[in-house]
Amino acid sequence: MHLSHDPAAPPAAEIAFDDFLKVDIRVGTILTAEPFPEARKPAIKLLIDFGAGIGICKSSAQITENHPIESLPGRQVAAVVNFPPRQIGKYMSEVLTLGFADDAGAVMLFAPDRRVPDGSRLF
């Protein structure tokens, strides 16, 4: 499945509400952000705290164009927490950090407007 970054692209195929409920999207706070020079595409290694129910997870995020590494710790982000871990080079990414493409196609992180408890689920 290919996801389009084109804002004019038509919507994806229709799914049932039960399919949406299978995707567990939670908010967490970035604890640390480190360069990931070994990645094929520019990326940052994130350590994200999702609260007591999920705990601390690792993620590799291609967010280098819009998000200076020093601005990330303390920031809340949304992530899919129930995909299987994915090997990115020598790094195991445990969650998929979510974002949208800006006008140039670079990723902008997706997060709540105000602070919410870590581990809160999107509904």
Side-chain angles (χ1 to χ4, degrees), residues 77-94:
V77 294
V80 176
V81 298
N82 66 331
F83 284 153
R86 185 171 178 192
Q87 191 78 39
I88 312 287
K90 294 181 179 180
Y91 188 73
M92 185 63 74
S93 187
E94 300 169 320

Side-chain angles (χ1 to χ4, degrees), residues 16-58:
F17 187 70
D18 286 345
D19 292 329
F20 169 74
L21 293 176
K22 292 176 186 176
V23 181
D24 193 352
I25 300 173
R26 304 285 183 113
V27 69
T29 299
I30 297 173
L31 299 176
T32 63
E34 299 176 9
F36 190 7
E38 307 87 6
R40 277 186 286 133
K41 293 183 180 179
I44 297 174
K45 294 178 187 177
L46 303 174
L47 200 59
I48 307 169
D49 185 356
F50 291 98
I54 295 170
I56 297 171
C57 298
K58 299 184 295 185

